[in-house]
Amino acid sequence: MERRPIERVRGTQDLGTRGADALDAVRATCERRFAAHGFRRVDVPVLEAAELHLRKSGLEIISKLYAFHDLGGRRICLRPELTASIVRAAIAAPAPRLPDKVFASGPVFRYERPSRGRFRQFFQTGVEVLGAEGPLADAEVIALAGAALDDLGITGHVVTIGNVGILSDVIGRLGLTGRRRAILLESLEEARRHGIDAVRRRLATLDPDAFAPPLSVTDGTPSLPVAGGDAEAMARLVAGTSPGDLGRRTLEDVTARLVARMQGDQSHGSVDRALAFIAELGEVRGNPDAALVAGRALLEAHGLDTGPLAELEKTVDLLEAFGLDRARVRIDLGLSRGLQYYTGMVFEIEHESLGTERQLCGGGRYDDLVRVLGGRQPVPATGFSFGIERLVMARDADAGPLPEIAPATILVVPATAADVPVAIACAAVLRRDGIATALDTSGRAVRAAVTHAARANFPVVVVTSGDDPPGSCRPRALAGDGATGSPPPAPVPVPAANIGAWLDSLGIPRGRGGHHPERES
RNA sequence: GUGGCCGUAGCUCAAUGGCAGAGCACUGGAUUGUGGCUCCAGCGGUUGGGGGUUCAAAUCCCCUCGGUCACCCCA
């Protein structure tokens, strides 16, 4: 029989009490902050139809999706994020009133190469505001993320804000649509990191027609080196047309119109103009004041609507009213973020201590998602998600690791084997009093049990015996004001029902969650 | 997905082709009903897994699994 231990699945982690407590504490701190701002908890499935995430995030994401066929032959996936499910649920059961402010937490899954701060299963917590448009809603969620970080004691972070609506606007005005539009939209960061030529190369690979040379007509013989057989056939058709049939239009004019009609938006000039704009847009970043000026200059130079930039400016101004430190905020018009459903404001929060995987938070506005996922009414929406494991790492870096939490406030130890029933009864009384109480079931000597209690950070140990007056026990403080640090005379019996007040007098909290004062650092 | 580094006791690490070890932790004892310190003792390993070279492998080689760092991408 094979006895080799089963190994953990790659990219997952086993958390002991310390790690699990830290994750839970950080999640709870975030959720408390969300709730304090009027957000309400929702919960959505880990399992979803793969179609949900494919439709939302595009086919590119399929390689990172944990997807499989279930026993009924349905295509299922483990969710890679929470937003899509929340929106799906909101379409299925619309909120009675908008805006609907919700938060959700839970594990998500992405098939990626694991590294420090990156796992295949990890926890997210985040908020969504459904049914609210405009800079105020955007500013609120950004500030909410910042407030949660403040609550956690995280200080070494930077908030970067962009707006993909600007580029989206320009691409639309240039008449670029469909796949080409999608490729251009997602190339913002690529342009900055690898240069505009890298984008050009990728576009040429994925969409060979994008850079078709201009049409030319010589001697009445159209030469149309446009890729695709239909273009040639059309050229012959046009060439065979007598000039008299063309009215006042030239042959070239008609051909160009036909090409445009047949090939939609494939005008190479538009693509080149879009690429040039993308290259410039990616350079606009820095502190809010300077970047906003530069952004406005760029848009005006291209004769473009400065509306999206004005919204961005308003968002940044509102952040100050929300109490977010402006020194922490940066503008980056080249920020596009990976997931393609953002339509306006986008933002991310990075932490200096985390190395390559430094992003704590990502979010933005997604006004089209409800429609994309089948909602009948368009619902403007905005939100963000934290990566909780990364929050734990950032918190530890800025404020030191959380102190260990005691298993319980009191460890009840039977004086001898014969005293076990008394100990059980005593523990029950203490718990009824709201005091987290563990029972020592090891059977070891009292001295060893007390040593164990001290090492395990129990603030109080209680020894019970049938020899004491009924309903009483002998408590001993291992922490707090009553701790002496050396072997004392044996404590006197105290009625178990009075232990709560006794704990209060020593400044020891009753529930689990108190920390051993002498062990904190 | 590409490339580099690493993997030895529960944890942190030694052992440079020649007996697999230390500290911490854990268990018991030193006062048979009360402290973390100290002292004594004990427990603890297919050296990630598999194959190869060698008289001899934790050590060298190959494969594989896992971790990690830099890219890519993202929380």
Side-chain angles (χ1 to χ4, degrees):
Chain A
M1 186 174 181
E2 182 60 78
R3 292 299 187 123
R4 187 178 304 159
I6 309 284
E7 289 186 346
R8 216 174 43 235
V9 171
R10 179 169 164 84
T12 63
Q13 46 181 353
D14 302 321
L15 296 178
T17 55
R18 197 82 191 256
D21 279 342
L23 205 68
D24 190 57
V26 166
R27 180 193 54 75
T29 298
C30 291
E31 290 178 346
R32 269 196 302 275
R33 171 53 65 176
F34 301 158
H37 289 235
F39 286 71
R40 305 184 70 182
R41 180 191 304 278
V42 294
D43 197 22
V44 288
V46 169
L47 296 176
E48 288 283 0
E51 168 72 10
L52 170 67
H53 292 289
L54 295 180
R55 204 196 291 180
K56 177 192 176 213
S57 305
L59 294 173
E60 316 272 340
I61 206 75
I62 191 171
S63 60
K64 297 189 171 176
L65 206 59
Y66 269 98
F68 55 93
H69 291 284
D70 71 5
L71 294 180
R74 291 167 282 255
R75 188 75 170 153
I76 303 295
C77 72
L78 303 178
R79 63 184 178 198
E81 44 110 16
L82 300 170
T83 304
S85 297
I86 292 170
V87 169
R88 178 193 54 67
I91 292 170
R97 290 165 296 279
L98 295 180
D100 190 23
K101 300 185 178 184
V102 300
F103 69 87
S105 305
V108 299
F109 305 82
R110 293 181 196 174
Y111 194 87
E112 295 185 280
R113 183 166 185 159
S115 60
R116 181 174 126 88
R118 167 186 282 184
F119 307 95
R120 288 183 173 178
Q121 173 180 339
F122 60 100
F123 270 84
Q124 283 192 334
T125 186
V127 308
E128 317 292 345
V129 179
L130 304 173
E133 55 190 359
L136 178 53
D138 287 336
E140 186 188 32
V141 298
I142 297 171
L144 181 54
L149 295 179
D150 290 343
D151 292 347
L152 291 166
I154 291 172
T155 56
H157 58 282
V158 172
V159 181
T160 304
I161 305 172
N163 192 315
V164 297
I166 296 172
L167 178 57
S168 174
D169 224 42
V170 168
I171 290 173
R173 281 162 196 276
L174 289 171
L176 299 166
T177 59
R179 185 161 176 231
R180 185 165 300 159
R181 169 191 166 88
I183 295 171
L184 287 170
L185 273 176
E186 73 184 15
S187 61
L188 247 181
E189 299 211 359
E190 181 186 23
R192 181 168 66 212
R193 301 171 78 109
H194 306 290
I196 200 68
D197 286 337
V199 177
R200 195 183 299 273
R201 280 192 297 273
R202 190 165 67 92
L203 193 58
T205 303
L206 294 174
D207 186 6
D209 294 346
F211 299 106
L215 303 173
S216 62
V217 180
T218 56
D219 307 347
T221 305
S223 167
L224 290 174
V226 177
D230 285 346
E232 276 190 40
M234 183 197 59
R236 281 195 297 276
L237 181 70
V238 172
T241 306
S242 76
D245 295 327
L246 296 173
R248 288 206 294 264
R249 293 174 291 181
T250 65
L251 183 61
E252 190 173 1
D253 191 2
V254 170
T255 305
R257 280 168 175 266
L258 277 171
V259 168
R261 180 81 55 89
M262 291 182 67
Q263 301 191 335
D265 55 27
Q266 294 180 0
S267 161
H268 84 290
S270 293
V271 171
D272 277 333
R273 285 174 64 189
L275 286 173
F277 183 73
I278 286 171
E280 291 184 76
L281 197 61
E283 295 306 312
V284 180
R285 59 184 196 270
N287 75 68
D289 298 318
L292 286 167
V293 169
R296 188 172 295 275
L298 173 62
L299 292 180
E300 284 170 353
H302 284 77
L304 296 165
D305 178 19
T306 56
L309 196 71
E311 294 217 331
L312 182 57
E313 184 165 15
K314 190 156 190 188
T315 301
V316 172
D317 286 344
L318 284 167
L319 287 178
E320 225 155 354
F322 277 110
L324 189 71
D325 182 2
R326 197 179 179 93
R328 266 190 207 304
V329 176
R330 290 172 49 86
I331 294 283
D332 184 350
L333 298 188
L335 181 68
S336 71
R337 317 220 2 74
L339 300 172
Q340 281 314 294
Y341 52 87
Y342 292 113
T343 55
M345 183 280 292
V346 291
F347 78 105
E348 65 179 25
I349 302 177
E350 296 185 326
H351 195 273
E352 58 190 8
S353 75
L354 267 52
T356 308
E357 309 300 334
R358 61 178 48 192
Q359 195 175 329
L360 297 175
C361 175
R365 173 162 288 281
Y366 49 95
D367 288 346
D368 293 340
L369 187 56
V370 168
R371 287 298 286 275
V372 168
L373 294 182
R376 297 199 181 141
Q377 306 280 331
V379 178
T382 186
F384 67 81
S385 284
F386 281 124
I388 300 183
E389 288 85 350
R390 293 185 186 174
L391 291 180
V392 171
M393 291 192 294
R395 209 215 72 83
D396 289 353
D398 288 343
L402 285 167
E404 188 166 356
I405 298 176
T409 303
I410 293 181
L411 179 67
V412 172
V413 177
T416 68
D419 299 314
V420 164
V422 179
I424 292 171
C426 176
V429 168
L430 296 174
R431 291 181 194 123
R432 256 199 314 275
D433 218 17
I435 301 166
T437 303
L439 181 69
D440 188 309
T441 52
S442 70
R444 62 190 142 203
V446 168
R447 180 190 176 88
V450 171
T451 300
H452 169 80
R455 288 179 174 168
N457 288 343
F458 283 97
V460 172
V461 65
V462 153
V463 177
T464 58
S465 166
D467 295 343
D468 290 331
S472 70
C473 58
R474 294 175 187 252
R476 174 92 188 273
L478 302 172
D481 297 338
T484 61
S486 60
V492 297
V494 168
N498 291 351
I499 296 283
W502 180 77
L503 287 175
D504 294 342
S505 73
L506 295 177
I508 296 172
R510 299 186 180 197
R512 177 180 180 272
H515 302 120
H516 197 301
E518 295 172 38
R519 286 287 174 90
E520 288 188 10
S521 57

